[in-house]
Amino acid sequence: MTPPDFDFPGRGVERPAVRYDKQGELTDSERVERAMQAFARDTTRTVATYLESCIRCGHCAEACHFYVASHDPQYTPIWKLQPFRRLYKKKKITAQELRDWQELIYDSCTLCGRCTLACPMGIDIAGLVTRARHAMFAAGLVPHELHAVAERAEREGSPLGATPKVLKERIEWLADEHEVEIALDRPQADILITLSSIEIMKYPASLVALAKILNRMGASWTIRSDGYEATNFGLLSGNSDWQREMSLRMIQAAIVCKAETLVLPECGHAYSALRWQGANMYGRPLPFRVLHISEFLAEAVRAGKLPLTRLAGSITFHDPCQISRRGGATSAPREVLAALGADLREMPSAGDANWCCGGGGGVVTVHRADDHRHRAFELKMAQIDATGAEHLATSCSNCRLTFDDGQAHFQWSKQMESLLELVADHLAPRAA
Amino acid sequence: MDLLQFARGPGLAISVAVFVIGLAWRLYRIFRHPAPRDFSAPRRSPSWPGGLRAVFSKMLPPGGVKIRGAQMLNAYGYHIGLALVVFTFAPHIAFVQRYTGLHWRPLPDPVAFIATAVAILGLLMALMYRLTDGVQRLLSSFDDYFSWFVTLLPLLTGMALIERPYYPVPSIAPALPTVPVLLAIHLLSLELLLIWLPFGKLAHAALVFVSRWRTGIDFARKGAAV
């Protein structure tokens, strides 16, 4: 039995601009049918609770950087779910509605979850958008660039072409260039290090930093060419099978080398994908711990395994949404910065309520979203400028990439740095 | 059977039955869906205290996030006003006692009168926001406007009934008003609210606990903020 349709959306309201990509040669009815089936599969008790509970108060709007940057009501987070609320209620939707909503589901949601903080009903809107992406992927309605990198990750094992061969070559080059031993494919190790392809291809100094720190700690560690890529575009694009496959590679590699701890790289959604969803993809609890690199560093600092020198000057820290707000690891980077003796100048609403950089959730890959993303980035710049801090650090390479893009776009004076690299640069000299 | 007899008898019985069965149906719509087990290693365990915390902490404005201050203040106003008038006005307690035997000490009449005024003004402001605020206007549907109407109606019909002091309570069964049909209309407006509540957004009176609890325990598991 389905209830009468009392919640048809407001009439006379401007619909989102028509701008969409598509995959496959499906008919409209096939796309709708696939979206319906995917969304029905995803409708758990939690999803149903959320879709039943919205009171349309609109408080989530003020929490969304894409709304605040535009003041366009269509960017109200819960509105991004409108067709999917109708799917849940077994109401008819059209392929055109799905196409119209592509921009709202992909281009203008970073899955940052700030709206969840604002929702008086506690609805996890970002979690619902993730489900909506599954439906959009099934319907073949994913932005072209995001689909392309996700498909490449599935085909080559890495979204940016950091194949095992490229990884080996990079490691050989970096080890030689920096005179540091980078452990690769050791048959057994206590710690399995995983990487983000953004680090491998754009910020390779991160690999050197990792090696310096782990070697200094005397840790038993390795990178494995059969499971190194933590970036998970299956999650971002909305393909659960690809997400599972990427996660299982790392899980199997950790099991093969009998790792006790799997350390995730400076990558936000990699943390969501493996720390919080990995075991569910595996179907049972993981036989090893999963830590973000900032948590690993904080543990090492706490255990006295990481003597550091003082970081000169003031610094502010940008919290990656998936690690802090949605991941629960907000304190870890601050412990590390405290160990560095840093003059930490927190941004307004730092920590759990931090503004997103605007590039998460795959948005940075979608070029048609650049204008809106840059406007949202202005919020971030204002937050950072307000601190007056000399340095700026984060623990997510995707955030770093977004900041580099924003810096170039606005010719901004601030340069984003990596927390991991800062630690490596401030390792105390060995006692004689 | 006159209108008042109907409102006090079959009308009330039917509306309460619809309310109870409808709310059970609404909750069944949620709980019939699967709840997959979460195999991730919890950061905090047990997570149920997080659910409890979220139920209460979400009553307060969120920290660190800009709020729609006037709208939020207004919402506090009419929610508190409604609660006061429903649960502390002497005739309402007498009504509950007549059917259930339960009773508690009422508050003086002026409290209920002020609460009613606050609730009515608050609801009028809420409608103004819904019609003028771009975000709320976009989100709004028939449910929002009809729910607003059925919430306001018992307040207005109740105001029309006030004709003498009700507190201190002289006897537990107050005398009929001068115009009994006004009491019948007031009761019928309440019955309309009860009948509609399970099927529209007013069900948030119950769903708020389910939704906050769910997020609270899920996020407590991760150590994440709600």
Side-chain angles (χ1 to χ4, degrees), chain A residues 6-8 13 45 49-50 52 55-57 114 116-117 119-122 271 275 280 295 325-327, chain B residues 26 29-30 33-34 38-39 41 43 58 64 130 136 138 140-141 143-144 201 211-212 215 222 224:
Chain A
F6 289 122
D7 61 349
F8 191 81
V13 174
R45 194 172 296 167
T49 301
Y50 292 155
E52 293 274 0
I55 52 172
R56 275 89 71 186
C57 65
R114 202 165 183 270
T116 301
L117 290 185
C119 177
M121 296 295 286
Y271 190 65
R275 174 65 180 91
N280 298 329
E295 293 177 292
R325 176 164 45 248
R326 295 181 69 73
Chain B
R26 187 80 185 260
R29 276 170 57 86
I30 291 173
H33 291 289
D38 189 346
F39 292 106
R43 190 187 300 279
K58 282 281 182 187
R130 198 160 282 285
Q136 282 204 3
L138 174 65
S140 297
S141 61
D143 178 15
D144 296 278
K201 68 182 286 186
S211 178
R212 288 178 183 172
T215 305
K222 298 196 284 185

Side-chain angles (χ1 to χ4, degrees), chain A residues 84-136:
Chain A
F84 303 94
R85 287 185 65 229
R86 293 176 60 74
L87 275 184
Y88 166 74
K89 295 194 173 185
K90 306 276 192 286
K91 303 289 184 304
K92 281 187 180 169
I93 62 163
T94 63
Q96 189 57 45
E97 276 179 278
L98 291 177
R99 285 190 282 266
D100 287 349
W101 254 261
Q102 188 183 96
E103 191 224 346
L104 301 182
I105 292 294
Y106 286 104
D107 303 26
S108 49
C109 179
T110 56
L111 309 174
C112 80
R114 202 165 183 270
C115 44
T116 301
L117 290 185
C119 177
M121 296 295 286
I123 298 171
D124 181 15
I125 300 171
L128 291 178
V129 172
T130 303
R131 265 52 174 235
R133 286 189 178 192
H134 292 165
M136 293 293 278

Side-chain angles (χ1 to χ4, degrees), chain B residues 116-164:
Chain B
T116 306
V118 168
I120 290 174
L121 286 174
L123 285 169
L124 291 172
M125 291 288 285
L127 180 64
M128 186 198 75
Y129 288 130
R130 198 160 282 285
L131 291 170
T132 58
D133 178 276
V135 169
Q136 282 204 3
R137 200 171 62 239
L138 174 65
L139 298 177
S140 297
S141 61
F142 172 83
D143 178 15
D144 296 278
Y145 297 109
F146 192 66
S147 295
W148 176 88
F149 173 71
V150 299
T151 307
L152 182 68
L153 206 55
L155 290 167
L156 296 179
T157 57
M159 288 286 279
L161 272 174
I162 294 167
E163 55 184 22
R164 62 181 175 80

Side-chain angles (χ1 to χ4, degrees), chain A residues 148-170:
Chain A
V149 287
E151 192 275 331
R152 187 178 188 188
E154 166 66 8
R155 186 165 28 88
E156 297 182 359
S158 167
L160 301 182
T163 59
K165 181 172 177 288
V166 171
L167 175 73
K168 283 177 188 169
E169 288 169 0
R170 289 234 145 191

